[in-house]
Amino acid sequence: MPKRDSPASSSSAAAPAKRAATATSSPLAETTAESASSLDSCVLLAQQGEGAARVRMPWVGFGTYKLPQARKAVTSALRSGYRLVDTAFIYGGEKTEPEVGAALEAALATRPRDAVFVTTKHWRKFHGYEESLKCLQTSLRRLRLDHVDLWLMHWPGPAWTTMNRRNDMIEQHGAWHYAAAGHEEANIAALRAETWRGMEEALARGWCRAIGVSNFTVEHLRRLKATARVWPPAVNQVELHPYHQQRELQAYCAQEGIVLQAYASLGGQDASRAKLEALGGSLLTSAAVLGAAAAHGVTAAQVLLRWALQKQLATIPKSSSEARMLENGAVFGFALSAAEMAALDALEQGDAGRLCWKNDPLRMLGFS
Ligand SMILES: NC(=O)c1ccc[n+]([C@@H]2O[C@H](COP(=O)([O-])OP(=O)(O)OC[C@H]3O[C@@H](n4cnc5c(N)ncnc54)[C@H](OP(=O)(O)O)[C@@H]3O)[C@@H](O)[C@H]2O)c1
């Protein structure tokens, strides 16, 4: 293991350094998505820095968004065989990371650190170099870890100034009216580049083993590439399912060596009834999905997760039920046929198929 600066004691003004090579003793095996055979099967992430060790990330992990009892659920997920836990600074109004930390501490008392791959995400209130490093320090303290395996920039967009936003003001002045000071539209791409510089520094210090982004469009990625020292981001975690397939982004990420990790693979948790009715129902009840499920003797959720794997997408399904965790982790023993894949592909609805974050105009998905 490399010598790591303590997150609590390091000076954030230290000069960026190339990341030291990391010897890894992980028992996780690397595979292609289609040949993944268990929750231990991994994708090899892009090398980040000269001489840096390649990091392996499980193809299928466990999500922790909107988990009422995250400590209990993460404990169950690890018991169920999951090796990757995906969380974020902001989840649960900042209450999820401490709960995940408690679950990890108990789990890591009886297994090596590298038996669990931990992802957390920077929060958009902390864009900028110094701010981003402070954000990760807080996450590490809450998670009771000296490093995470993957640290993602959660959003390309800015923070809000207030939770009390008036729709009439947004209509009159646009969403940027409520962007935090310093996060103005003209500044945000440069500020994001500074955040990435902070993330590169965290990588160099060993506070994370890999860095990546989330909710980035092709345009966000192109702009980041222009200033990045560490390229590519190891992962781009985005909403991706048959209703919203982001094919251009899939092609760009494949070309650049960025692993796309899908969220809301099962349809997510934010869509309204009206939205689902407009789309023709939930993904879990769509005829194409149910048809494939019946043909293979599996569930609708397993079909959706298998579709993602056969598209070379990593996934992080969330469930608060241990039975569903087990179900979502059992997606390796069957393969969808070309016709079944095509039937699911035909569910594509472009931007209209987006199920998450519909009420957040500053999410920055539509602008650069
Ligand atoms: N980067 C980002 O901006 C971002 C955004 C959203 C999510 N994420 C990450 O991605 C993870 C997954 O996304 P998500 O949680 O939004 O949605 P998801 O995994 O698509 O769906 C979760 C929903 O599906 C239900 N469910 C789980 N397994 C099921 C099964 N086998 N059959 C039927 N229903 C099932 C869950 O209910 P129960 O809990 O009752 O089982 C929950 O309501 C998140 O937890 C989070 O870690 C990241």
Side-chain angles (χ1 to χ4, degrees), residues 62-68 85-88 91 121 123 152-155 213-215 237-239 241 261-270 284 299-302 305 315-325 327-328 356-357:
F62 181 69
T64 65
Y65 175 54
K66 289 197 174 172
L67 266 178
V85 177
D86 177 88
T87 193
Y91 285 177
K121 308 181 197 89
W123 184 235
L152 302 177
M153 194 185 319
H154 202 151
W155 287 97
V213 295
S214 174
N215 297 303
Q237 184 185 107
V238 298
E239 178 179 343
H241 44 72
Q261 189 177 49
Y263 72 72
S265 299
L266 307 177
Q269 309 180 74
D270 292 335
L284 288 165
T299 67
Q302 288 170 324
L305 294 168
T315 63
I316 40 171
K318 165 264 175 182
S319 180
S320 38
S321 130
E322 190 159 336
R324 284 171 166 180
M325 291 174 200
E327 176 185 330
N328 299 341
C356 304
W357 311 109

Side-chain angles (χ1 to χ4, degrees), residues 2 17-24 44-55 203-204 208-211 230-231:
K18 293 233 186 291
R19 186 167 173 253
T22 311
T24 173
L44 195 60
L45 302 181
Q47 183 171 17
Q48 293 191 311
E50 218 174 291
R54 303 284 294 272
V55 173
L203 182 69
C208 48
R209 295 171 66 226
I211 53 177
V230 170
W231 184 265

Side-chain angles (χ1 to χ4, degrees), residues 18 136 166 206 276 347 349:
K18 293 233 186 291
L136 181 55
R166 282 172 40 192
L276 291 175
L347 296 173
Q349 309 225 14

Side-chain angles (χ1 to χ4, degrees), residues 104-160:
L104 288 174
E105 187 174 65
L108 294 176
T110 56
R111 57 190 112 191
R113 169 65 186 83
D114 63 6
V116 185
F117 187 105
V118 181
T119 303
T120 197
K121 308 181 197 89
H122 157 273
W123 184 235
R124 58 186 175 164
K125 185 175 152 195
F126 301 98
H127 275 303
Y129 177 82
E130 296 287 348
E131 290 296 298
S132 64
L133 286 167
K134 281 186 205 148
C135 178
L136 181 55
Q137 285 178 319
T138 304
S139 288
L140 290 173
R141 204 165 46 243
R142 290 172 176 172
L143 291 166
R144 309 184 193 188
L145 297 174
D146 72 349
H147 71 280
V148 287
D149 298 280
L150 176 64
W151 188 36
L152 302 177
M153 194 185 319
H154 202 151
W155 287 97
W160 296 102

